[in-house]
Amino acid sequence: MSMNEITPGEMANTAPPSPAFEVAVLLGRGMPLGEQRRTLDEIGVALVNEGLAERSEIAFAELSDPALSVVLLHLRDEGVRSVVVVPVIIPFDRNLKGWIGRWLSRWSAEEAGAMRVVLADPLDGIADQLSPVRAVIERARLGTDVREAIKPLKIKAGASRIPDVSRVALVCLGPRCAQAGAAVIYDQLRRRFGPHKPDDLQENEVLCLTTNCQGPCNFAPLVGIQPDNIWYGNLTPEALEGIADRHLAQGGEPVSPWAFQPGERLKKTDGALVEPDLPLAAAEAGAIRIRQAFVRKAMVEDNALAGFMEITNLGTFDDMLLAIECCFSARIAIHAAGGHDDILAGEGLPLPLAAGSTIRLQPGRLHLMLLDIPDVPDPGSTVDLVLTFRHAGSMPMTCHVHAPS
Ligand code: FES
């Protein structure tokens, strides 16, 4: 055998290492109407070729679609086990870099389940991406003088006329709003009120525009309506339907509970309207953590309280909620939705709680029902509950009774 021949053993040693992650998510900054996809695609291909991941996906921190939250949820539901998020922050923004880290760690704790998520150092300058820059320089060298291809300017009538609209909807596409689904809200508004090019606007239409962060990020996703001086916060597509019908199209009153006036403070927490001066209960036992817990009089049942909370299994083993006890309720069930007929089989118990998962009991969705209460306690009083888990054991907690929404 000559000196240059390679033995099978050596071949095994020189084979490229298997990719470190299943998916690399290239996280760009985004632009309202921008096309950042190709650059991110090219960087993604380079990272895959370097062996960082088996494949790459694209997401945006702000302004563009899809949001990082949407892409990560999709990957989790697909069963992907490991993801590396590679921020591409150009131009560099220290605040955005810090925010991505904080948001991603919180998202992972609450939503990632069994999927491992790693945050890479950001690509924040052209030094990291010299090959596409070199390609642009090469193409420019071969280009022709722009004076050889002068084209007439197109003058559109709408560009010289202030649009005659009744309202302007300012949809925030800043980082927090983008992750909370603002792109879906913007798309829904545009489909409802038509394209917003000045030439296409009719009288009394709503002009839909996008903005960067407007400041009150805890209201995400946020839409400002001018000249009414109203902000809609914590919007959902379902809520927007009613707002578009009753307020925006017909010029009616702002729609509660999503409408906020200047100076107003947030009263909303994780989808549940709560009285700001009544605390939300929290408890922990073993790997199980409960927070944001409260009860209030049920909407569709007399003699009943509805209960809401967020239950997280921080451990690496599955657990199960076996039983819930309350001294003055003869029957406790978990309902699937708002209606009386939505009691789950076996009244919803036992309730499996996979390792790393969070279950939210919230208004209009999965929630607790304390039934057959002879004398429903008033708002401001408290209710003692004991939740028993298979592995974490019993967890007593005292919940405040909040006012009905
Ligand atoms: S990101 Fe929308 S208000 Fe800050």
Side-chain angles (χ1 to χ4, degrees), residues 7-30:
T7 65
E10 286 171 331
M11 277 181 69
N13 288 339
T14 55
S18 55
F21 299 91
E22 274 182 72
V23 181
V25 178
L26 277 293
L27 178 64
R29 294 203 62 175

Side-chain angles (χ1 to χ4, degrees), residues 133-145:
V133 172
R134 284 189 190 123
V136 168
I137 292 170
E138 280 310 309
R139 285 199 293 273
R141 277 210 186 99
L142 301 173
T144 52
D145 188 323

Side-chain angles (χ1 to χ4, degrees), residues 71-312:
V71 173
L72 289 177
L73 280 175
H74 182 76
L75 294 175
R76 183 201 66 186
D77 294 346
E78 205 184 288
V80 168
R81 307 288 295 182
S82 64
V83 167
V84 57
V85 175
V86 185
V88 182
I89 308 180
I90 301 173
F92 185 66
D93 179 336
R94 186 178 306 280
N95 290 335
L96 183 61
K97 180 185 171 209
W99 180 82
I100 289 169
R102 290 193 298 278
W103 181 87
L104 191 59
S105 59
R106 196 173 150 190
W107 183 92
S108 298
E110 294 180 353
E111 305 284 357
M115 185 171 77
R116 186 167 72 99
V117 181
V118 170
L119 178 62
D121 287 337
L123 295 172
D124 55 12
I126 59 169
D128 298 302
Q129 300 163 60
L130 275 181
S131 40
V133 172
R134 284 189 190 123
V136 168
I137 292 170
E138 280 310 309
R139 285 199 293 273
R141 277 210 186 99
L142 301 173
T144 52
D145 188 323
V146 289
R147 286 170 295 188
E148 292 172 21
I150 291 179
K151 291 181 186 148
L153 284 178
K154 287 183 189 161
I155 310 284
K156 290 189 175 178
S160 304
R161 177 173 60 86
I162 303 295
D164 187 6
V165 294
S166 58
R167 286 184 178 75
V168 179
L170 300 166
V171 184
C172 177
L173 289 185
R176 285 277 292 277
C177 290
Q179 304 316 315
V184 174
I185 297 289
Y186 178 54
D187 192 46
Q188 194 179 350
L189 272 173
R190 287 194 65 192
R191 273 190 280 111
R192 172 67 191 265
F193 293 105
H196 65 242
K197 289 180 188 157
D199 275 348
D200 300 326
L201 279 172
Q202 306 295 319
E203 250 179 60
N204 296 322
E205 271 197 307
V206 178
L207 175 62
C208 306
L209 300 176
T210 58
T211 74
N212 288 350
C213 175
Q214 298 181 21
C217 307
N218 285 343
F219 291 80
L222 178 83
V223 177
I225 306 295
Q226 296 299 345
D228 300 352
N229 232 10
I230 291 293
W231 274 260
Y232 284 108
N234 301 118
L235 275 174
T236 61
E238 297 75 34
L240 188 61
E241 283 298 316
I243 292 165
D245 285 342
R246 285 150 56 194
H247 180 189
L248 302 184
Q250 297 175 15
E253 289 296 308
V255 181
S256 294
W258 297 277
F260 297 88
Q261 296 184 353
E264 206 171 338
R265 287 180 173 276
L266 190 66
K267 294 178 186 171
K268 204 170 180 189
T269 307
D270 283 0
L273 279 175
V274 297
E275 290 294 309
D277 52 342
L278 288 176
L280 300 166
E284 276 192 53
I288 301 296
R289 183 187 70 187
I290 294 182
R291 53 178 205 169
Q292 311 277 357
F294 69 102
V295 297
R296 70 181 181 208
K297 188 173 182 322
M299 311 276 269
V300 294
E301 287 263 353
D302 291 331
N303 303 323
L305 285 169
F308 311 104
M309 63 188 69
E310 186 179 283
I311 309 173
T312 300

Side-chain angles (χ1 to χ4, degrees), residues 346-393:
E347 299 205 328
L349 292 170
L351 184 67
L353 201 56
S357 71
T358 295
I359 288 180
R360 293 191 178 83
L361 304 178
Q362 54 191 323
R365 308 239 177 112
L366 204 66
H367 62 277
L368 211 59
M369 285 293 281
L370 314 180
L371 299 151
D372 304 339
I373 302 174
D375 204 2
V376 175
D378 291 327
S381 54
T382 57
V383 170
D384 290 329
L385 297 177
V386 179
L387 281 73
T388 302
F389 296 84
R390 171 169 287 166
H391 297 299

